Coordinates of all heavy atoms in Angstrom, one line a residue:
I1 N -12.3 -54.0 6.5 CA -11.9 -54.1 5.1 C -13.2 -54.2 4.3 O -13.9 -55.2 4.3 CB -11.0 -55.3 4.8 CG1 -9.8 -55.4 5.7 CG2 -10.6 -55.3 3.3 CD1 -8.9 -56.6 5.5
P2 N -13.6 -53.1 3.6 CA -14.8 -53.2 2.7 C -14.6 -54.4 1.7 O -13.5 -54.5 1.2 CB -14.8 -51.9 2.1 CG -14.0 -51.0 2.9 CD -12.9 -51.9 3.5
I3 N -15.7 -55.1 1.4 CA -15.6 -56.1 0.4 C -16.5 -55.8 -0.7 O -17.5 -55.1 -0.6 CB -15.9 -57.5 1.0 CG1 -17.3 -57.5 1.7 CG2 -14.9 -58.0 1.9 CD1 -17.7 -58.9 2.2
P4 N -16.2 -56.2 -2.0 CA -17.0 -55.9 -3.1 C -18.4 -56.4 -3.0 O -18.7 -57.4 -2.3 CB -16.3 -56.5 -4.3 CG -14.8 -56.7 -3.8 CD -15.0 -57.0 -2.3
R5 N -19.3 -55.8 -3.8 CA -20.7 -56.4 -3.9 C -20.7 -57.8 -4.4 O -19.9 -58.1 -5.3 CB -21.5 -55.5 -4.8 CG -23.0 -55.9 -4.9 CD -23.7 -55.0 -5.9 NE -23.7 -53.6 -5.6 CZ -24.6 -53.1 -4.8 NH1 -25.6 -53.8 -4.4 NH2 -24.5 -51.8 -4.5
G6 N -21.5 -58.6 -3.8 CA -21.5 -60.0 -4.3 C -20.6 -60.9 -3.5 O -20.4 -62.1 -3.8
E7 N -20.0 -60.4 -2.4 CA -19.1 -61.2 -1.6 C -19.6 -61.2 -0.1 O -20.4 -60.4 0.2 CB -17.6 -60.7 -1.6 CG -17.2 -60.7 -3.1 CD -15.7 -60.5 -3.3 OE1 -14.9 -60.6 -2.2 OE2 -15.2 -60.5 -4.4
A8 N -19.1 -62.1 0.7 CA -19.6 -62.3 2.0 C -18.5 -62.5 3.0 O -17.5 -63.0 2.7 CB -20.6 -63.5 2.0
Y9 N -18.8 -62.2 4.3 CA -17.9 -62.4 5.3 C -18.5 -63.3 6.4 O -19.6 -63.0 7.0 CB -17.4 -61.1 5.9 CG -16.6 -61.3 7.2 CD1 -15.4 -62.0 7.1 CD2 -16.9 -60.7 8.4 CE1 -14.6 -62.1 8.3 CE2 -16.1 -60.8 9.5 CZ -15.0 -61.6 9.5 OH -14.2 -61.7 10.5
I10 N -17.9 -64.4 6.7 CA -18.4 -65.4 7.7 C -17.7 -65.0 9.1 O -16.5 -64.9 9.1 CB -18.1 -66.8 7.3 CG1 -18.9 -67.2 6.0 CG2 -18.4 -67.8 8.5 CD1 -18.5 -68.5 5.5
W11 N -18.6 -64.8 10.1 CA -18.0 -64.4 11.4 C -18.9 -64.9 12.5 O -20.0 -65.4 12.4 CB -18.0 -62.8 11.4 CG -19.3 -62.1 11.2 CD1 -20.0 -62.0 10.1 CD2 -20.1 -61.5 12.2 NE1 -21.2 -61.3 10.3 CE2 -21.2 -60.9 11.7 CE3 -19.8 -61.2 13.6 CZ2 -22.2 -60.2 12.4 CZ3 -20.8 -60.5 14.3 CH2 -21.9 -60.0 13.7
D12 N -18.3 -64.7 13.7 CA -19.0 -65.1 15.0 C -19.6 -66.5 14.9 O -20.8 -66.6 15.0 CB -20.0 -64.0 15.4 CG -20.4 -64.2 16.9 OD1 -19.7 -65.0 17.6 OD2 -21.4 -63.5 17.3
C13 N -18.8 -67.4 14.7 CA -19.2 -68.8 14.6 C -18.8 -69.6 15.9 O -17.7 -69.3 16.4 CB -18.6 -69.5 13.4 SG -19.0 -68.8 11.8
A14 N -19.6 -70.4 16.3 CA -19.2 -71.2 17.5 C -20.0 -72.5 17.6 O -21.1 -72.6 17.0 CB -19.5 -70.4 18.8
T15 N -19.3 -73.5 18.2 CA -20.0 -74.7 18.6 C -20.2 -74.8 20.1 O -19.3 -74.4 20.8 CB -19.2 -75.9 18.1 OG1 -18.9 -75.9 16.7 CG2 -19.9 -77.3 18.5
I16 N -21.4 -75.1 20.5 CA -21.6 -75.2 22.0 C -20.6 -76.2 22.6 O -20.3 -77.3 22.0 CB -23.1 -75.7 22.2 CG1 -24.0 -74.7 21.5 CG2 -23.4 -75.7 23.7 CD1 -23.8 -73.3 21.8
A17 N -20.1 -75.8 23.8 CA -19.0 -76.6 24.4 C -19.3 -78.1 24.5 O -18.5 -78.9 24.2 CB -18.7 -76.0 25.7
A18 N -20.5 -78.5 24.9 CA -20.8 -79.9 25.0 C -20.8 -80.7 23.7 O -20.8 -81.9 23.7 CB -22.2 -80.0 25.7
Q19 N -20.9 -80.0 22.6 CA -21.0 -80.6 21.3 C -19.7 -80.5 20.5 O -19.6 -81.0 19.3 CB -22.1 -80.0 20.5 CG -23.5 -80.2 21.1 CD -23.9 -81.6 21.3 OE1 -23.6 -82.5 20.5 NE2 -24.6 -81.9 22.4
R20 N -18.6 -80.0 21.1 CA -17.4 -79.9 20.3 C -16.7 -81.2 20.1 O -16.9 -82.2 20.9 CB -16.4 -78.9 21.1 CG -16.9 -77.5 21.0 CD -16.0 -76.5 21.8 NE -16.6 -75.2 21.7 CZ -16.3 -74.2 22.6 NH1 -15.3 -74.4 23.5 NH2 -16.9 -73.0 22.5
G21 N -15.9 -81.3 19.1 CA -15.2 -82.6 18.8 C -16.0 -83.5 17.8 O -15.5 -84.6 17.5
R22 N -17.1 -83.0 17.3 CA -18.0 -83.9 16.4 C -17.9 -83.4 15.0 O -18.5 -84.0 14.1 CB -19.4 -83.8 16.9 CG -19.6 -84.3 18.4 CD -21.1 -84.3 18.7 NE -21.9 -85.1 17.8 CZ -23.2 -85.0 17.6 NH1 -23.9 -84.1 18.4 NH2 -23.9 -85.8 16.8
G23 N -17.2 -82.4 14.7 CA -17.1 -81.9 13.3 C -18.3 -80.9 12.9 O -18.5 -80.7 11.8
I24 N -19.0 -80.4 13.9 CA -20.2 -79.6 13.6 C -19.8 -78.3 12.9 O -20.5 -77.9 12.0 CB -20.9 -79.3 15.0 CG1 -21.6 -80.6 15.4 CG2 -21.9 -78.2 14.8 CD1 -22.3 -80.4 16.8
F25 N -18.7 -77.7 13.3 CA -18.4 -76.4 12.6 C -18.0 -76.7 11.2 O -18.4 -75.9 10.3 CB -17.2 -75.7 13.4 CG -16.8 -74.4 12.6 CD1 -17.7 -73.4 12.5 CD2 -15.5 -74.3 12.1 CE1 -17.3 -72.2 11.9 CE2 -15.2 -73.2 11.4 CZ -16.1 -72.1 11.3
S26 N -17.3 -77.7 10.9 CA -16.9 -78.0 9.5 C -18.2 -78.3 8.7 O -18.3 -77.8 7.5 CB -16.0 -79.3 9.4 OG -14.8 -79.0 10.0
G27 N -19.2 -79.0 9.3 CA -20.5 -79.2 8.5 C -21.2 -77.9 8.4 O -21.8 -77.7 7.3
L28 N -21.2 -77.1 9.4 CA -21.9 -75.8 9.3 C -21.3 -74.9 8.2 O -22.0 -74.3 7.4 CB -21.9 -75.1 10.7 CG -22.7 -73.8 10.8 CD1 -24.2 -74.0 10.6 CD2 -22.4 -73.1 12.1
L29 N -20.0 -74.9 8.2 CA -19.3 -74.1 7.2 C -19.6 -74.5 5.8 O -19.8 -73.7 4.9 CB -17.7 -74.2 7.5 CG -16.8 -73.2 6.8 CD1 -17.2 -71.7 7.1 CD2 -15.4 -73.5 7.2
C30 N -19.6 -75.8 5.5 CA -19.9 -76.2 4.2 C -21.4 -75.9 3.9 O -21.7 -75.5 2.7 CB -19.7 -77.7 4.1 SG -18.0 -78.2 4.1
F31 N -22.3 -76.0 4.8 CA -23.7 -75.6 4.6 C -23.7 -74.1 4.2 O -24.4 -73.7 3.3 CB -24.5 -75.9 5.8 CG -25.9 -75.3 5.8 CD1 -26.9 -76.0 5.1 CD2 -26.2 -74.0 6.3 CE1 -28.2 -75.5 5.0 CE2 -27.5 -73.6 6.2 CZ -28.5 -74.3 5.6
M32 N -23.0 -73.2 4.9 CA -23.0 -71.8 4.7 C -22.5 -71.5 3.3 O -23.0 -70.7 2.6 CB -22.3 -71.1 5.8 CG -22.9 -71.2 7.1 SD -21.7 -70.7 8.5 CE -21.9 -68.9 8.4
L33 N -21.4 -72.2 2.9 CA -20.8 -71.9 1.6 C -21.7 -72.3 0.5 O -21.8 -71.6 -0.5 CB -19.4 -72.7 1.5 CG -18.3 -72.2 2.4 CD1 -17.1 -73.1 2.4 CD2 -17.9 -70.8 2.0
E34 N -22.4 -73.5 0.6 CA -23.3 -73.9 -0.4 C -24.5 -73.0 -0.5 O -25.0 -72.7 -1.6 CB -23.7 -75.3 -0.2 CG -24.8 -75.9 -1.2 CD -24.3 -75.9 -2.6 OE1 -23.1 -75.7 -2.9 OE2 -25.2 -76.1 -3.5
D35 N -24.9 -72.5 0.6 CA -26.1 -71.5 0.6 C -25.7 -70.2 -0.1 O -26.4 -69.7 -0.9 CB -26.4 -71.2 2.1 CG -27.8 -70.6 2.2 OD1 -28.7 -71.0 1.5 OD2 -27.9 -69.6 3.0
L36 N -24.4 -69.8 0.1 CA -23.9 -68.6 -0.6 C -23.8 -68.9 -2.1 O -24.1 -68.0 -2.9 CB -22.6 -68.1 0.0 CG -22.7 -67.5 1.4 CD1 -21.3 -67.4 2.0 CD2 -23.4 -66.2 1.4
R37 N -23.3 -70.0 -2.4 CA -23.2 -70.4 -3.9 C -24.5 -70.3 -4.5 O -24.6 -69.8 -5.6 CB -22.5 -71.7 -4.0 CG -22.2 -72.1 -5.4 CD -21.8 -73.6 -5.6 NE -22.9 -74.4 -5.4 CZ -23.8 -74.7 -6.4 NH1 -23.7 -74.3 -7.6 NH2 -24.8 -75.5 -6.1
Q38 N -25.5 -71.0 -4.0 CA -26.8 -71.0 -4.5 C -27.4 -69.6 -4.7 O -28.3 -69.4 -5.6 CB -27.7 -72.0 -3.8 CG -27.4 -73.4 -3.9 CD -28.3 -74.3 -3.2 OE1 -29.5 -74.0 -2.9 NE2 -27.9 -75.6 -2.9
A39 N -27.1 -68.7 -3.8 CA -27.6 -67.4 -3.8 C -26.8 -66.5 -4.8 O -27.2 -65.3 -5.0 CB -27.5 -66.8 -2.4
G40 N -25.8 -67.0 -5.5 CA -25.1 -66.3 -6.5 C -23.9 -65.4 -6.0 O -23.4 -64.6 -6.8
Y41 N -23.4 -65.7 -4.8 CA -22.3 -64.9 -4.3 C -21.0 -65.5 -5.0 O -20.9 -66.6 -5.4 CB -22.2 -65.0 -2.8 CG -23.3 -64.1 -2.2 CD1 -24.5 -64.6 -1.9 CD2 -23.0 -62.7 -1.9 CE1 -25.5 -63.7 -1.4 CE2 -23.9 -61.9 -1.4 CZ -25.2 -62.4 -1.1 OH -26.2 -61.6 -0.6
R42 N -20.0 -64.6 -4.9 CA -18.7 -65.0 -5.6 C -17.7 -65.6 -4.6 O -17.1 -66.6 -4.9 CB -18.1 -63.7 -6.2 CG -18.9 -63.0 -7.3 CD -18.3 -61.7 -7.7 NE -17.0 -61.9 -8.2 CZ -16.0 -61.0 -8.1 NH1 -16.2 -59.9 -7.5 NH2 -14.8 -61.3 -8.7
R43 N -17.5 -64.9 -3.5 CA -16.4 -65.3 -2.6 C -17.0 -65.2 -1.2 O -17.8 -64.3 -0.9 CB -15.2 -64.5 -2.7 CG -14.3 -64.9 -3.9 CD -13.0 -64.1 -3.9 NE -13.1 -62.7 -4.0 CZ -12.6 -62.0 -5.0 NH1 -11.8 -62.6 -5.9 NH2 -12.8 -60.7 -5.1
A44 N -16.4 -66.0 -0.3 CA -16.7 -65.9 1.1 C -15.3 -65.7 1.8 O -14.4 -66.4 1.6 CB -17.3 -67.2 1.7

């Protein structure tokens, strides 16, 4: 699905098996979203 200019697609995310259950992906996702916001993107 093509997305408009100024939008982003988050993909191929993973937490290493030994570190699962700690909320790492949720923390990483929030970091990625804030990084996109600061860069001026509209939607993820």
Side-chain angles (χ1 to χ4, degrees):
I1 305 175
I3 54 177
R5 182 184 299 272
E7 304 196 3
Y9 174 58
I10 295 173
W11 61 286
D12 196 9
C13 301
T15 303
I16 304 309
Q19 300 298 326
R20 290 177 185 163
R22 302 181 58 196
I24 289 175
F25 178 63
S26 292
L28 183 67
L29 190 56
C30 289
F31 172 84
M32 296 167 79
L33 291 172
E34 176 60 13
D35 196 45
L36 290 169
R37 186 191 72 83
Q38 291 185 18
Y41 285 89
R42 300 174 58 212
R43 281 189 293 239

